[in-house]
Structures are given as structure tokens and as C-alpha cells.
Amino acid sequence: MSEAEGAEDEGEYESGRPTGLYLLVGVIVLLVVVSGMFAIGYIPPLLKNGTATTSTHGTAQFITITTTLAPVTSVSTVAGKDSTTTSTSVVTSTLPGATTTQTSTLTQTVSTVSTATVTSSTVVTVPTVSTTTTTQTTTTTATTTPTNPLTIDVAMNPSASPAVLHAGETFTITITIQNRLYNTAVSLYAYQVTPSGTPIVVSFYPQLPENVYAVVGTSYYTIQGTISKSAPAGNYEVDAEISGYSNLNGGAQTSVTKQFIIQTVEPLTFPGFSFPTPTAQFNGTCIALSFTGQTNPTWGWKCNVNAAPQVNGTIQFTVSNAANVAVCIQTTIGSSSMTGYVNMNPYPFCPDGGPGVYVPAGTSNWPFTFSIHNGSIAGAQVVYFTFTRSGS
């Protein structure tokens, strides 16, 4: 070998040595970097399955680096389970006189925490607003001075027309006088008009006519009337006549006559009869009779009685009173053989000393008992009972 050739070979060797050395150092650094990436959890980008790449660095033909990336396994399951990803890298380095293969496998498991969806609901309660409407009524009372110096107004209680009353009940007539003059004389008078001439109003209070002096201003006067306890049912007329006169300031005179209709209704009814203790010696039955044209209201019963001679028995009647005052009834018995009387032991005296059987106000089925004595006639007999509403 010539010196020139030796020098050429030496130069080639000199120039090739650094290149190979640098390449080796680069491979080592690359491995270190790849290992470091795996160490810190780096997952290389996924390539297609079975793909291999070959790269040649520098001009040295005897150094070959082959990198093989294995298939990547990725398993994902439902929420709440684990998700596993596996990545494998194989690096093969061919150096003069030796081949080095390094395989790195990285498996990364990610625990997926099951996520529960929680719905938070905020309920805002708005208080119910109660709207209260307050109506304020302002009443202004003004005293109106009458146009006339003397005015009279007359009203009746009950105010209905006709005014419905029972026997024995009362009514009132109210007189209101508005007077602006002194020494005004007023006459109060009331009277009744009845077709039969029989008065149904037994009394007025105060006794009429009544003469008074009306005060200056407003004055009130009351007349009370009482219906007779024996008044028959029907319509009746009651009149009130009020006159006023003053000779002062030119004089003033007025007269008011007011007519009222009163309807009297019957308070008494007789629901029935009974034989409280019937025996073989005394028993029977009764039927109601109708009486018309009587001055006072009257009821009758016809009783067929079977009685032995010289025997005592009882018959009980019941009466109801719709009036708000007590009413009395007179009783009579008619028979050729039997005599009797009302056993008054359970009853109080009639009001105002009236005769007859006491019937309290507003009662139903009020009982009263006849004590009957049969004479010498035996067998079936007819007995009549009469009841008349009594009282003045």
C-alpha cells in the first residue's frame, strides 16, 4: 500500500468514525427518550395494525434501526367500569457484531367513576296573598224639617196587609207626629167595622178617644188593641183617625184616617179522642161533627158508647192551640142516661177568670178527660159532646 492510499484509507476511517459514533449516540439517546416517555405515562400515537417502518441514519450501511409498533388494544365498557388501553413498542438496533432488541409495553387503566345525575329542585313557596276589600259606608243622618208645620204618620204592627192574628192576640197602632208649633192639640181615635156588628176587638188601650198636646218636635203615641178570645175566623176592618190643630202662627190643622185589615184565624183544632181504660162494661167510638152559623167557634162529637147500668167510665179528648195566648173552651154533654163532667184536677184556671177548660198557648194534643156515669139504661147509647171557644 502506498502512502497515498494509506492516507486515503486513514482519512476515510477518520471521517467515518465520527459518523458512526454519532449515530450510536443518537440511537442511545432515542432509546432513553422513548423509555422516559413510557415512564411518564406517554402513550404513543396509534398506527394501523401491523405497520413497520425502517429508517437508515447516516451513510453507514451496517447500522440498521427497525421500530415495530404492535397493535393497540383498547377496551371500553359501560359507565362505572374500567377502561383499559395497552400500547406495545419494539425497537431493534443492529450494531456491528451484535443486534439489540428492546420491547416496551405500556398498559394504562382508567377507572371511570359512575356519575349519578342529581337533580336539585328548589321550591319557592309564595305566600298566598289574601285580598281583603274593606267597604266603608258613611251614613249621614240629616234632620229634615218637614215642609208642613204639622205632619202625622200612622202604622200598624203586624205590618202585613191583612195582619194575621189569632183569637186573644194583640196588635198596635203607632202614631208619629212632627210638630213645629206650640199648643198643638191632637185627638187619637180608633174603631172597628164588623159586618155582623159583633166586635172582634174587645178593647183599645188607652181608652179612646184620647186627647193630647203634641210637643214641639217629634212625638210618638201607641194604641194597643186586643182580639176577642171568641172571635170567629174572618177579615175585619180597623180604622185609626188622628187629628191635630194649632191656632198659633196663622193656625195649622191636619187629619189622617188610616184603614187596616185584620184577618183572624182559628187557633184551636181537635185531633181526636180515646177511651183511656176501656172495659167490657164501658167502651165505644166517636166521630167529629161540623157546626156552622155559630156566634162563637164550636166543635161537636157524637160518641156511641156501650155501657152497663150504674157504671163509671172515661173519655179523653185532645186539643191543640196555635195562638200565643191561652184559650179556654166550654164543654157540654147530652145524653138521656149518662151524665159527666170534665175532670179539672190536671188543669189550671182559665185566664181572666174565663169559664171552661184551660188550653195553654202554643200546645199540641193537650188532653182533657170526661168522667162519665151511666144510669139505669144498659147497652148502646149515643152521647153528644160540644166544645165552644170561650172568653171575652
Side-chain angles (χ1 to χ4, degrees), residues 104-167:
S104 297
T105 301
L106 175 63
T107 300
Q108 184 180 25
T109 301
V110 179
S111 296
T112 303
V113 179
S114 177
T115 302
T117 301
V118 178
T119 301
S120 178
S121 177
T122 302
V123 179
V124 179
T125 302
V126 180
T128 301
V129 179
S130 178
T131 302
T132 301
T133 302
T134 302
T135 302
Q136 181 176 1
T137 303
T138 303
T139 303
T140 303
T141 302
T143 302
T144 303
T145 303
T147 304
N148 298 324
L150 180 62
T151 59
I152 300 174
D153 183 67
V154 182
M156 181 176 174
N157 184 27
S159 59
S161 182
V164 179
L165 296 168
H166 292 98

Side-chain angles (χ1 to χ4, degrees), residues 11 35 65 83 102 109 136 138 195 207 216 229 243 247 257 268 312 323 345 350 359 364:
S35 299
I65 298 176
S83 176
Q102 182 176 353
T109 301
Q136 181 176 1
T138 303
Q207 292 183 356
V216 176
K229 292 183 176 66
S243 299
N247 58 3
T257 300
L268 297 184
N312 296 324
N345 186 45
C350 285
V359 183
S364 297

Side-chain angles (χ1 to χ4, degrees), residues 303-316:
C303 298
N304 295 318
V305 180
N306 295 313
Q310 305 300 325
V311 68
N312 296 324
T314 57
I315 302 178
Q316 188 177 78

Side-chain angles (χ1 to χ4, degrees), residues 12 60 116 132 177 223 255 264 294 311 376:
E12 181 179 355
T132 301
I177 300 175
I223 298 173
S255 179
T264 60
Q294 302 294 319
V311 68
S376 59

Side-chain angles (χ1 to χ4, degrees), residues 277-292:
T277 56
T279 64
Q281 289 76 29
F282 191 93
N283 61 78
T285 184
C286 301
I287 59 173
L289 301 177
S290 176
F291 290 95
T292 58

